[in-house]
Every structure is written in C-alpha cells, then in structure tokens.
Amino acid sequence: MGFGRRDAVVSREQKLVFAGIYVLKKMDLKPAEGGMEMPLVLPSELTPLQDVLQELVNADFVEVNRRKARFEVTKKGLAYLSEIIDEAEALVDEFDEASLEEAVAELRSRNVDVLRARFLWGWYDGELDDLVLFQQRRGAEPVEPWWADYLLSDAFYEALRSDYE
C-alpha cells in the first residue's frame, strides 16, 4: 500500500454499471430535455464512454446503427431503464420523508448497496443531470469540465459517498 492511497471507492465494473445507467438515460431523453445521441465515433470529450457503450452493446441494451452512425437504445435497454426508474422511484417514495441517517441504516440493514441507492436517487431526481453543476454546487476544485471523465472518476463516487458517510 502506497502513501496515503485509499482503496477505490468503487470497482471499474461498478463504474461501468452506473455510467451505463447514466448514458442510457441521456440516450433515451430528447435533446431538449438534456438527452443526446451517441455517435459511433465519439468526440474526444466522450471517449471515456467507449467501454461503457461496449458494455451496453454486450448486454443488448444499445445497438449500433451503422446507417445513422450512432448507438441506439434497444427494446431490452428501454425495459432495463424502466426497471431502474422503478427501483429509483421506490427508493424516493420510501425514504423521501426519512432522515439521511434513518435511510442509510435501513438500507444497510437490508444489505442494499447504499452507494447505488445514492446514485439512483440523484440520477432520478435530476441532481446528476449536469455533472459540472453538481461539482460546482459542492465547491469542487478544480471542476472537471468533461462530464464523461467525471462520471468515471473516483472523485464522483467519493462525492456521492461523502453524502452518507
């Protein structure tokens, strides 16, 4: 163990799952609602999402549309997104009136991943829609201007975890 090194907040696999959920929402929403198309050839600011998109393709949640030169959400992907929305809605419905301490204690007593619950809550209620604004609201220094980099960074998951630890 090196000087001051901490264990990673989440594994690479967990980051790919959370980022996949985030990207699916972005792809499902209309551009006017904050959504976006994912081109097959990603611009440099989105290249960190290459592995995320590959995982989504492998899970059959998105597919390659060569004619339109973009990734598209599949029916299976929409069904998965619907399940995630239901999971997030259930969390919000159950714990909206609870104190943070009560909610975390209850989630832990059920062996629910508290980080996942925290991510889904912010994802569902729109807190995470703009990750630059999310950082600015928390006084992050420096602010990572490329949301895809931040979405896959330890700093993002450390910020989420700091809300309940």
Side-chain angles (χ1 to χ4, degrees):
M1 184 161 229
F3 292 109
R5 275 194 79 162
R6 296 178 37 205
D7 292 335
V9 174
V10 296
S11 69
R12 175 169 161 64
E13 292 75 24
Q14 289 172 301
K15 286 179 184 178
L16 291 174
V17 168
F18 290 140
I21 292 168
Y22 190 92
V23 167
L24 277 176
K25 179 180 179 181
K26 281 260 189 224
M27 292 176 68
D28 185 50
L29 291 174
K30 292 175 178 33
E33 299 167 347
M36 64 186 302
E37 290 182 357
M38 290 291 163
L40 293 183
V41 178
L42 295 173
S44 58
E45 69 271 14
L46 297 180
T47 55
L49 300 178
Q50 194 63 53
D51 289 345
V52 173
L53 288 162
Q54 186 58 55
E55 290 296 317
L56 292 171
V57 168
N58 293 348
D60 195 28
F61 294 153
V62 302
E63 64 189 3
V64 172
N65 183 327
R66 296 213 184 280
R67 188 176 57 76
K68 294 182 179 177
R70 68 180 185 209
F71 293 94
E72 295 182 341
V73 181
T74 64
K75 287 183 181 180
K76 185 176 176 182
L78 291 174
Y80 174 67
L81 197 52
S82 180
E83 290 172 18
I84 297 296
I85 290 168
D86 290 347
E87 181 183 350
E89 280 179 343
L91 283 167
V92 171
D93 289 347
E94 182 171 359
F95 295 109
D96 196 33
E97 300 298 320
S99 73
L100 179 63
E101 295 78 18
E102 292 169 336
V104 170
E106 182 60 28
L107 290 168
R108 286 185 171 143
S109 76
R110 296 180 194 173
N111 284 328
V112 173
D113 179 348
V114 179
L115 181 61
R116 179 181 173 93
R118 172 63 185 97
F119 173 85
L120 290 179
W121 191 295
W123 171 85
Y124 178 77
D125 76 2
E127 175 191 16
L128 304 179
D129 287 354
D130 182 334
L131 291 177
V132 171
L133 184 58
F134 175 80
Q135 295 171 78
Q136 290 170 339
R137 286 182 180 147
R138 293 168 164 272
E141 279 294 324
V143 169
E144 171 54 64
W146 288 6
W147 67 265
D149 279 331
Y150 187 64
L151 179 63
L152 291 163
S153 73
D154 285 340
F156 173 57
Y157 298 97
E158 288 168 1
L160 291 176
R161 183 164 276 166
S162 72
D163 289 343
Y164 60 86
E165 285 191 338

